[in-house]
Protein backbone atom coordinates (compact mmCIF):
# COMPACT_ATOMS: atom_id res chain seq x y z
CA UNK A 1 0.00 0.00 0.00
CA UNK A 2 1.00 3.63 -0.36
CA UNK A 3 0.74 5.34 3.01
CA UNK A 4 0.76 9.09 3.64
CA UNK A 5 2.64 9.73 6.88
CA UNK A 6 2.00 13.21 8.28
CA UNK A 7 4.71 14.34 10.70
CA UNK A 8 6.90 11.56 9.29
CA UNK A 9 10.17 13.43 9.90
CA UNK A 10 9.48 13.49 13.66
CA UNK A 11 10.48 11.06 16.38
CA UNK A 12 7.73 8.43 16.20
CA UNK A 13 6.97 9.11 12.52
CA UNK A 14 10.51 8.40 11.32
CA UNK A 15 10.64 5.10 13.24
CA UNK A 16 7.25 4.13 11.81
CA UNK A 17 8.41 4.92 8.25
CA UNK A 18 11.19 2.34 8.70
CA UNK A 19 8.77 -0.38 9.80
CA UNK A 20 6.31 0.44 6.99
CA UNK A 21 9.06 0.33 4.35
CA UNK A 22 10.44 -2.91 5.80
CA UNK A 23 6.96 -4.44 5.48
CA UNK A 24 6.90 -3.55 1.78
CA UNK A 25 4.67 -0.47 1.95
CA UNK A 26 5.41 2.73 0.06
CA UNK A 27 5.60 5.91 2.14
CA UNK A 28 4.93 9.56 1.29
CA UNK A 29 5.76 12.13 4.00
CA UNK A 30 4.28 15.56 4.72
CA UNK A 31 6.07 17.52 7.46
CA UNK A 32 6.61 21.27 7.88
CA UNK A 33 9.75 20.56 9.99
CA UNK A 34 8.51 22.79 12.83
CA UNK A 35 9.93 20.25 15.29
CA UNK A 36 12.18 18.04 13.14
CA UNK A 37 14.89 17.86 10.48
CA UNK A 38 14.67 16.35 6.99
CA UNK A 39 17.94 14.56 7.84
CA UNK A 40 15.84 11.98 9.74
CA UNK A 41 14.18 10.97 6.47
CA UNK A 42 17.51 10.78 4.66
CA UNK A 43 18.66 8.37 7.35
CA UNK A 44 15.47 6.32 7.01
CA UNK A 45 16.22 6.08 3.28
CA UNK A 46 19.79 4.98 4.06
CA UNK A 47 18.63 2.34 6.55
CA UNK A 48 15.94 0.88 4.29
CA UNK A 49 17.42 1.49 0.82
CA UNK A 50 14.02 2.94 -0.20
CA UNK A 51 13.05 6.34 -1.51
CA UNK A 52 10.56 8.59 0.35
CA UNK A 53 8.74 11.35 -1.54
CA UNK A 54 8.82 14.25 0.91
CA UNK A 55 6.71 17.43 1.00
CA UNK A 56 8.01 20.11 3.38
CA UNK A 57 4.62 21.80 3.73
CA UNK A 58 2.09 22.56 6.43
CA UNK A 59 -0.70 20.00 6.67
CA UNK A 60 -3.27 22.77 7.00
CA UNK A 61 -2.29 24.14 3.57
CA UNK A 62 -5.18 22.68 1.61
CA UNK A 63 -3.83 23.54 -1.85
CA UNK A 64 -0.45 21.91 -1.17
CA UNK A 65 -1.97 18.82 0.42
CA UNK A 66 -4.40 18.45 -2.48
CA UNK A 67 -1.31 18.21 -4.71
CA UNK A 68 0.08 15.41 -2.52
CA UNK A 69 -3.15 13.40 -2.82
CA UNK A 70 -3.25 14.06 -6.59
CA UNK A 71 0.34 12.96 -7.20
CA UNK A 72 0.19 9.65 -5.30
CA UNK A 73 -2.32 6.80 -5.07
CA UNK A 74 -2.62 7.05 -1.31
CA UNK A 75 -4.58 4.22 0.32
CA UNK A 76 -4.18 5.05 4.00
CA UNK A 77 -2.87 7.80 6.28
CA UNK A 78 -0.94 7.72 9.53
CA UNK A 79 -1.36 11.11 11.17
CA UNK A 80 1.48 12.09 13.52
CA UNK A 81 1.72 15.79 12.63
CA UNK A 82 1.06 18.00 15.63
CA UNK A 83 2.60 20.14 18.31
CA UNK A 84 3.17 18.18 21.52
CA UNK A 85 4.76 20.24 24.31
CA UNK A 86 2.41 20.47 27.28
CA UNK A 87 3.99 23.58 28.86
CA UNK A 88 4.11 25.42 25.53
CA UNK A 89 0.45 24.59 24.91
CA UNK A 90 -0.51 26.33 28.16
CA UNK A 91 1.30 29.47 26.99
CA UNK A 92 0.15 29.31 23.36
CA UNK A 93 -3.26 27.60 23.39
CA UNK A 94 -4.53 29.17 20.15
CA UNK A 95 -1.44 28.07 18.26
CA UNK A 96 -1.99 24.51 19.53
CA UNK A 97 -5.70 24.41 18.73
CA UNK A 98 -5.08 25.98 15.33
CA UNK A 99 -2.17 23.76 14.35
CA UNK A 100 -3.39 20.42 15.64
CA UNK A 101 -7.09 20.72 14.91
CA UNK A 102 -7.17 22.72 11.68
CA UNK A 103 -4.61 20.44 10.00
CA UNK A 104 -6.68 17.39 10.99
CA UNK A 105 -9.81 18.96 9.48
CA UNK A 106 -8.01 19.59 6.18
CA UNK A 107 -6.74 16.01 6.21
CA UNK A 108 -10.21 14.54 6.81
CA UNK A 109 -11.75 16.66 4.09
CA UNK A 110 -9.15 15.64 1.51
CA UNK A 111 -9.21 11.97 2.52
CA UNK A 112 -12.93 11.93 1.91
CA UNK A 113 -12.72 13.72 -1.45
CA UNK A 114 -9.93 11.37 -2.62
CA UNK A 115 -11.73 8.33 -1.15
CA UNK A 116 -8.84 7.40 1.16
CA UNK A 117 -10.62 5.29 3.74
CA UNK A 118 -8.16 4.37 6.47
CA UNK A 119 -6.63 6.63 9.10
CA UNK A 120 -4.39 5.90 12.08
CA UNK A 121 -4.26 8.80 14.55
CA UNK A 122 -1.62 9.54 17.23
CA UNK A 123 -3.60 10.06 20.39
CA UNK A 124 -2.12 9.91 23.86
CA UNK A 125 -2.67 8.52 27.34
CA UNK A 126 -3.04 12.20 28.26
CA UNK A 127 -6.75 11.81 27.29
CA UNK A 128 -7.23 9.84 30.53
CA UNK A 129 -6.48 13.05 32.47
CA UNK A 130 -5.84 12.35 36.14
CA UNK A 131 -6.77 8.65 35.93
CA UNK A 132 -7.80 7.24 39.27
CA UNK A 133 -6.88 3.58 38.85
CA UNK A 134 -4.35 1.49 36.96
CA UNK A 135 -3.90 -0.29 34.63
CA UNK A 136 -5.98 2.04 32.46
CA UNK A 137 -8.34 0.38 29.94
CA UNK A 138 -9.69 2.17 26.83
CA UNK A 139 -13.06 2.45 28.59
CA UNK A 140 -11.70 4.67 31.41
CA UNK A 141 -13.26 8.15 31.69
CA UNK A 142 -11.73 10.80 29.42
CA UNK A 143 -10.61 14.31 30.37
CA UNK A 144 -7.71 16.66 29.76
CA UNK A 145 -5.67 18.90 32.00
CA UNK A 146 -4.05 21.22 29.42
CA UNK A 147 -4.59 22.59 25.87
CA UNK A 148 -2.33 19.94 24.28
CA UNK A 149 -4.38 17.18 25.89
CA UNK A 150 -7.59 18.88 24.82
CA UNK A 151 -6.44 18.94 21.17
CA UNK A 152 -6.02 15.15 21.36
CA UNK A 153 -9.40 14.68 23.01
CA UNK A 154 -11.22 17.02 20.59
CA UNK A 155 -9.58 15.35 17.58
CA UNK A 156 -10.74 11.95 18.84
CA UNK A 157 -14.32 13.31 19.00
CA UNK A 158 -13.99 14.90 15.55
CA UNK A 159 -12.73 11.67 14.00
CA UNK A 160 -15.52 9.67 15.64
CA UNK A 161 -18.12 12.03 14.13
CA UNK A 162 -16.41 12.15 10.74
CA UNK A 163 -16.08 8.41 10.31
CA UNK A 164 -19.85 7.88 10.63
CA UNK A 165 -20.28 10.01 7.48
CA UNK A 166 -17.73 8.11 5.41
CA UNK A 167 -19.01 4.79 4.04
CA UNK A 168 -16.62 1.87 4.41
CA UNK A 169 -13.98 3.97 6.18
CA UNK A 170 -12.13 3.21 9.40
CA UNK A 171 -10.01 5.03 11.95
CA UNK A 172 -7.72 3.78 14.72
CA UNK A 173 -7.16 6.09 17.69
CA UNK A 174 -3.88 4.94 19.21
CA UNK A 175 -3.32 6.17 22.75
CA UNK A 176 0.41 6.03 23.38
CA UNK A 177 1.83 5.82 26.87
CA UNK A 178 5.47 7.03 27.26
CA UNK A 179 7.51 6.48 24.09
CA UNK A 180 11.29 6.24 24.64
CA UNK A 181 14.29 4.58 23.00
CA UNK A 182 15.58 4.79 19.46
CA UNK A 183 16.28 2.64 16.43
CA UNK A 184 18.92 0.01 17.29
CA UNK A 185 21.20 1.36 14.53
CA UNK A 186 21.69 4.59 16.50
CA UNK A 187 20.94 6.53 13.29
CA UNK A 188 17.51 7.90 14.23
CA UNK A 189 16.09 8.94 17.57
CA UNK A 190 14.40 11.69 19.55
CA UNK A 191 15.88 15.15 18.99
CA UNK A 192 14.21 17.54 21.45
CA UNK A 193 14.70 21.27 20.96
CA UNK A 194 16.12 23.10 23.98
CA UNK A 195 15.77 21.68 27.48
CA UNK A 196 13.93 18.35 27.36
CA UNK A 197 10.61 18.19 29.21
CA UNK A 198 10.44 14.42 29.25
CA UNK A 199 12.38 12.14 31.53
CA UNK A 200 14.36 9.87 29.18
CA UNK A 201 15.87 12.59 26.96
CA UNK A 202 16.77 14.50 30.11
CA UNK A 203 18.54 11.44 31.52
CA UNK A 204 20.50 10.85 28.30
CA UNK A 205 21.64 14.50 28.26
CA UNK A 206 22.81 14.20 31.89
CA UNK A 207 24.69 11.03 30.92
CA UNK A 208 26.31 12.98 28.07
CA UNK A 209 27.22 15.74 30.54
CA UNK A 210 25.15 18.24 28.57
CA UNK A 211 23.16 18.81 31.79
CA UNK A 212 24.57 18.75 35.28
CA UNK A 213 21.97 16.64 37.05
CA UNK A 214 18.43 15.33 36.83
CA UNK A 215 15.72 16.93 38.96
CA UNK A 216 13.30 14.28 40.15
CA UNK A 217 9.89 15.89 40.45
CA UNK A 218 8.71 14.65 43.86
CA UNK A 219 9.47 11.57 45.97
CA UNK A 220 6.37 11.67 48.15
CA UNK A 221 3.86 10.01 45.80
CA UNK A 222 2.05 6.88 46.86
CA UNK A 223 4.26 4.61 44.72
CA UNK A 224 6.92 1.95 45.24
CA UNK A 225 9.65 4.51 46.10
CA UNK A 226 7.69 7.79 46.15
CA UNK A 227 8.62 8.83 42.58
CA UNK A 228 6.20 8.93 39.62
CA UNK A 229 5.40 5.66 37.84
CA UNK A 230 4.92 5.51 34.06
CA UNK A 231 4.53 2.95 31.28
CA UNK A 232 7.62 3.45 29.07
CA UNK A 233 7.35 1.86 25.64
CA UNK A 234 10.15 1.38 23.11
CA UNK A 235 9.52 3.53 20.04
CA UNK A 236 10.18 0.58 17.70
CA UNK A 237 7.45 -1.44 19.44
CA UNK A 238 5.20 1.59 19.10
CA UNK A 239 6.05 1.89 15.39
CA UNK A 240 5.12 -1.78 14.92
CA UNK A 241 1.80 -1.04 16.61
CA UNK A 242 1.00 1.35 13.74
CA UNK A 243 1.77 -1.27 11.11
CA UNK A 244 -0.49 -3.74 12.92
CA UNK A 245 -3.26 -1.16 13.30
CA UNK A 246 -3.10 -0.47 9.58
CA UNK A 247 -3.30 -4.19 8.76
CA UNK A 248 -6.42 -4.44 10.92
CA UNK A 249 -8.08 -1.24 9.65
CA UNK A 250 -8.24 -2.52 6.09
CA UNK A 251 -10.81 -5.10 7.26
CA UNK A 252 -12.75 -2.79 9.57
CA UNK A 253 -15.17 0.10 9.40
CA UNK A 254 -15.85 2.76 12.05
CA UNK A 255 -13.70 3.98 14.90
CA UNK A 256 -11.45 1.76 17.05
CA UNK A 257 -9.39 2.84 20.03
CA UNK A 258 -6.29 1.09 21.37
CA UNK A 259 -3.87 1.71 24.21
CA UNK A 260 -0.25 1.17 23.19
CA UNK A 261 1.86 0.55 26.27
CA UNK A 262 3.68 -2.36 27.89
CA UNK A 263 1.38 -2.71 30.89
CA UNK A 264 4.38 -2.30 33.22
CA UNK A 265 4.90 0.65 35.53
CA UNK A 266 8.45 1.94 36.17
CA UNK A 267 9.28 4.64 38.72
CA UNK A 268 11.66 7.54 38.01
CA UNK A 269 14.25 6.06 40.39
CA UNK A 270 13.87 2.61 38.81
CA UNK A 271 14.45 4.12 35.37
CA UNK A 272 17.54 6.01 36.59
CA UNK A 273 18.92 2.80 38.09
CA UNK A 274 18.15 0.76 34.97
CA UNK A 275 19.83 3.40 32.80
CA UNK A 276 22.98 3.39 34.94
CA UNK A 277 23.13 -0.40 34.84
CA UNK A 278 22.46 -0.68 31.11
CA UNK A 279 24.95 1.99 30.07
CA UNK A 280 27.50 2.28 32.88
CA UNK A 281 26.90 6.06 32.92
CA UNK A 282 26.33 7.76 36.29
CA UNK A 283 23.17 9.90 36.57
CA UNK A 284 23.51 12.47 39.35
CA UNK A 285 20.11 13.64 40.58
CA UNK A 286 18.37 15.77 43.18
CA UNK A 287 14.82 15.58 44.50
CA UNK A 288 12.79 18.69 43.74
CA UNK A 289 9.14 19.73 44.06
CA UNK A 290 6.34 17.89 42.29
CA UNK A 291 5.59 19.12 38.75
CA UNK A 292 2.07 20.58 38.61
CA UNK A 293 -0.32 18.36 36.64
CA UNK A 294 1.64 15.12 37.20
CA UNK A 295 -0.15 12.00 38.39
CA UNK A 296 1.49 9.47 40.71
CA UNK A 297 0.95 6.46 38.48
CA UNK A 298 -0.07 5.82 34.89
CA UNK A 299 0.20 2.52 33.06
CA UNK A 300 -1.76 0.81 30.33
CA UNK A 301 -4.07 -2.09 29.98
CA UNK A 302 -3.02 -2.95 26.41
CA UNK A 303 -4.83 -6.28 26.23
CA UNK A 304 -7.26 -4.99 23.57
CA UNK A 305 -4.40 -4.24 21.15
CA UNK A 306 -2.94 -7.66 21.86
CA UNK A 307 -6.28 -9.36 21.20
CA UNK A 308 -7.49 -7.37 18.21
CA UNK A 309 -4.27 -6.16 16.54
CA UNK A 310 -2.10 -9.14 17.41
CA UNK A 311 0.44 -6.64 18.79
CA UNK A 312 2.44 -6.68 21.98
CA UNK A 313 5.44 -4.63 23.10
CA UNK A 314 8.45 -6.94 23.39
CA UNK A 315 11.34 -4.62 24.26
CA UNK A 316 12.11 -4.07 27.95
CA UNK A 317 13.52 -1.20 30.00
CA UNK A 318 17.16 -2.27 29.49
CA UNK A 319 16.78 -2.13 25.70
CA UNK A 320 14.98 1.23 25.96
CA UNK A 321 17.87 2.68 28.00
CA UNK A 322 20.58 1.13 25.83
CA UNK A 323 19.08 2.37 22.55
CA UNK A 324 18.34 5.85 23.92
CA UNK A 325 21.96 6.11 25.05
CA UNK A 326 23.41 4.80 21.76
CA UNK A 327 21.45 7.47 19.86
CA UNK A 328 22.56 10.25 22.26
CA UNK A 329 26.19 9.12 22.31
CA UNK A 330 26.51 8.80 18.53
CA UNK A 331 24.55 12.01 17.80
CA UNK A 332 25.49 14.38 20.63
CA UNK A 333 23.73 17.28 18.89
CA UNK A 334 20.86 15.30 17.41
CA UNK A 335 20.49 15.81 13.66
CA UNK A 336 22.31 19.14 13.63
P1 LIG B 1 7.52 15.13 16.88
O1 LIG B 1 7.39 16.56 17.21
O2 LIG B 1 8.89 14.54 16.81
O3 LIG B 1 6.77 14.81 15.50
C1 LIG B 1 5.66 15.56 15.05
C2 LIG B 1 5.99 16.05 13.65
O4 LIG B 1 4.90 16.79 13.13
C3 LIG B 1 7.22 16.97 13.61
O5 LIG B 1 8.14 16.47 12.68
C4 LIG B 1 6.65 18.32 13.20
O6 LIG B 1 7.57 19.04 12.42
C5 LIG B 1 5.41 17.92 12.43
N1 LIG B 1 4.31 18.91 12.38
C6 LIG B 1 3.74 19.56 13.42
N2 LIG B 1 2.75 20.36 12.98
C7 LIG B 1 2.69 20.20 11.62
C8 LIG B 1 1.87 20.75 10.59
N3 LIG B 1 0.90 21.64 10.86
N4 LIG B 1 2.09 20.36 9.32
C9 LIG B 1 3.07 19.47 9.02
N5 LIG B 1 3.86 18.92 9.95
C10 LIG B 1 3.68 19.27 11.24
O7 LIG B 1 6.62 14.32 17.92
P2 LIG B 1 6.49 12.75 18.15
O8 LIG B 1 6.99 12.47 19.51
O9 LIG B 1 7.01 11.98 17.01
O10 LIG B 1 4.92 12.63 18.21
C11 LIG B 1 4.13 12.28 17.09
C12 LIG B 1 2.67 12.36 17.48
O11 LIG B 1 2.42 11.50 18.58
C13 LIG B 1 2.21 13.76 17.90
O12 LIG B 1 0.92 13.99 17.40
C14 LIG B 1 2.20 13.67 19.42
O13 LIG B 1 1.26 14.55 19.99
C15 LIG B 1 1.79 12.21 19.63
N6 LIG B 1 2.23 11.68 20.92
C16 LIG B 1 3.55 11.75 21.25
C17 LIG B 1 3.97 11.27 22.49
C18 LIG B 1 5.43 11.37 22.89
O14 LIG B 1 5.72 11.25 24.06
N7 LIG B 1 6.37 11.53 21.98
C19 LIG B 1 3.04 10.70 23.37
C20 LIG B 1 1.72 10.62 22.99
C21 LIG B 1 1.30 11.13 21.75
C1 LIG C 1 4.29 14.06 29.72
C2 LIG C 1 3.09 14.96 29.54
C3 LIG C 1 2.03 14.20 28.75
C4 LIG C 1 2.60 13.72 27.41
C5 LIG C 1 3.85 12.88 27.71
C6 LIG C 1 4.53 12.41 26.46
C7 LIG C 1 3.02 16.50 31.45
C8 LIG C 1 2.31 16.86 32.72
N1 LIG C 1 2.58 15.37 30.85
O1 LIG C 1 3.89 12.90 30.40
O2 LIG C 1 0.91 15.01 28.51
O3 LIG C 1 1.65 12.96 26.71
O4 LIG C 1 4.78 13.66 28.47
O5 LIG C 1 5.10 13.48 25.76
O6 LIG C 1 3.93 17.20 31.00
N2 LIG C 1 10.24 13.60 35.56
C9 LIG C 1 11.22 14.01 36.44
N3 LIG C 1 12.17 14.87 36.00
C10 LIG C 1 12.21 15.35 34.72
C11 LIG C 1 11.20 14.94 33.82
C12 LIG C 1 10.22 14.07 34.28
O7 LIG C 1 11.22 13.59 37.59
O8 LIG C 1 13.12 16.15 34.40
C13 LIG C 1 9.21 12.63 36.01
C14 LIG C 1 7.78 13.13 35.93
O9 LIG C 1 7.41 13.78 37.11
C15 LIG C 1 7.03 11.81 35.69
C16 LIG C 1 8.03 10.96 34.91
O10 LIG C 1 9.30 11.52 35.16
O11 LIG C 1 6.78 11.17 36.93
C17 LIG C 1 7.77 10.97 33.40
O12 LIG C 1 7.69 12.29 32.94
P1 LIG C 1 7.57 12.67 31.39
O13 LIG C 1 8.62 11.95 30.63
O14 LIG C 1 7.52 14.15 31.28
O15 LIG C 1 6.18 12.04 30.94
P2 LIG C 1 4.70 12.25 31.54
O16 LIG C 1 4.70 13.18 32.68
O17 LIG C 1 4.12 10.91 31.76
Amino acid sequence: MTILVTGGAGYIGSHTCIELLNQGHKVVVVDNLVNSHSESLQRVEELTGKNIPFYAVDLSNEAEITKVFSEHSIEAVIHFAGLKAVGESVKQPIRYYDNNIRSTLVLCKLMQSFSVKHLVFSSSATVYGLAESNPIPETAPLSATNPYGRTKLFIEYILNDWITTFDGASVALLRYFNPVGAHASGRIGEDPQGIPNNLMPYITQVAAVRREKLSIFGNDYDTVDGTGVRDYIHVVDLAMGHVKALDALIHLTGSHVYNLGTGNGTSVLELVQAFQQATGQPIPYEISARRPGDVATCFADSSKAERELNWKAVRGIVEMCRDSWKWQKENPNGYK
Side-chain angles (χ1 to χ4, degrees):
M1 276 201 294
T2 300
I3 322 286
L4 172 63
V5 180
T6 78
Y11 172 46
I12 306 171
S14 54
H15 287 83
T16 302
C17 285
I18 293 193
E19 300 308 321
L20 291 168
L21 291 165
N22 286 343
Q23 301 283 319
H25 294 294
K26 289 184 181 150
V27 162
V28 176
V29 167
V30 166
D31 196 308
N32 66 359
L33 304 177
V34 65
N35 195 40
S36 52
H37 298 269
S38 57
E39 171 73 18
S40 62
L41 292 174
Q42 282 161 27
R43 295 191 185 185
V44 170
E45 290 184 331
E46 263 168 47
L47 288 166
T48 59
K50 310 262 172 69
N51 173 256
I52 301 176
F54 170 50
Y55 295 81
V57 293
D58 196 295
L59 186 59
S60 57
N61 184 331
E62 193 170 331
E64 292 291 341
I65 304 303
T66 302
K67 255 195 253 165
V68 178
F69 277 95
S70 309
E71 289 172 5
H72 302 273
S73 302
I74 291 162
E75 293 158 276
V77 179
I78 305 185
H79 178 29
F80 294 104
L83 299 172
K84 63 163 186 177
V86 172
E88 191 179 65
S89 81
V90 174
K91 293 189 184 115
Q92 304 175 6
I94 302 306
R95 178 171 171 235
Y96 269 68
Y97 290 125
D98 183 61
N99 187 79
N100 292 2
I101 296 180
R102 201 155 56 85
S103 56
T104 305
L105 297 177
V106 168
L107 181 64
C108 291
K109 193 171 148 187
L110 292 178
M111 283 181 68
Q112 204 151 1
S113 53
F114 283 86
S115 249
V116 178
K117 295 195 167 175
H118 308 293
L119 174 65
V120 176
F121 172 62
S122 298
S123 188
S124 166
T126 195
V127 300
Y128 296 118
L130 305 174
E132 273 165 22
S133 65
N134 287 277
I136 305 174
E138 288 83 353
T139 49
L142 302 180
S143 69
T145 57
N146 55 70
Y148 163 71
R150 271 185 281 281
T151 68
K152 292 294 172 196
L153 199 49
F154 294 162
I155 292 171
E156 286 202 5
Y157 292 138
I158 290 168
L159 295 178
N160 288 339
D161 288 339
W162 170 66
I163 213 69
T164 64
T165 68
F166 193 178
D167 245 8
S170 54
V171 60
L173 310 173
L174 303 184
R175 295 179 182 152
Y176 314 154
F177 281 65
N178 290 60
V180 296
H183 192 256
S185 64
R187 294 292 291 155
I188 62 166
E190 187 173 12
D191 185 14
Q193 315 290 307
I195 301 172
N197 297 306
N198 297 120
L199 180 60
M200 183 65 100
Y202 206 102
I203 289 178
T204 59
Q205 292 194 7
V206 171
V209 207
R210 268 179 78 179
R211 317 251 162 229
E212 189 193 340
K213 58 183 171 219
L214 171 72
S215 287
I216 296 184
F217 300 146
N219 67 348
D220 56 353
Y221 287 107
D222 183 15
T223 62
V224 58
D225 54 25
T227 65
V229 167
R230 295 292 183 274
D231 186 340
Y232 298 97
I233 173 169
H234 196 294
V235 66
V236 174
D237 280 329
L238 189 60
M240 281 306 302
H242 292 73
V243 177
K244 294 285 195 174
L246 208 57
D247 291 346
L249 274 191
I250 307 303
H251 308 287
L252 294 170
T253 56
S255 175
H256 304 270
V257 54
Y258 299 101
N259 283 340
L260 298 185
T262 63
N264 301 316
T266 304
S267 76
V268 177
L269 280 171
E270 286 170 342
L271 189 66
V272 167
Q273 243 154 35
F275 188 92
Q276 293 181 139
Q277 266 164 20
T279 66
Q281 299 299 308
I283 304 297
Y285 66 82
E286 64 180 7
I287 306 296
S288 62
R290 289 183 177 195
R291 180 172 65 180
D294 273 355
V295 285
T297 302
C298 175
F299 60 93
D301 174 348
S302 284
S303 56
K304 187 180 175 202
E306 189 174 346
R307 242 180 5 256
E308 296 187 11
L309 304 180
N310 191 25
W311 170 88
K312 195 174 174 10
V314 294
R315 291 165 180 81
I317 285 288
V318 169
E319 216 164 336
M320 298 182 210
C321 293
R322 206 188 52 210
D323 292 341
S324 297
W325 176 233
K326 182 175 166 73
W327 156 253
Q328 169 69 51
K329 198 173 45 168
E330 293 178 9
N331 306 268
N333 299 308
Y335 290 113
K336 282 181 227 70

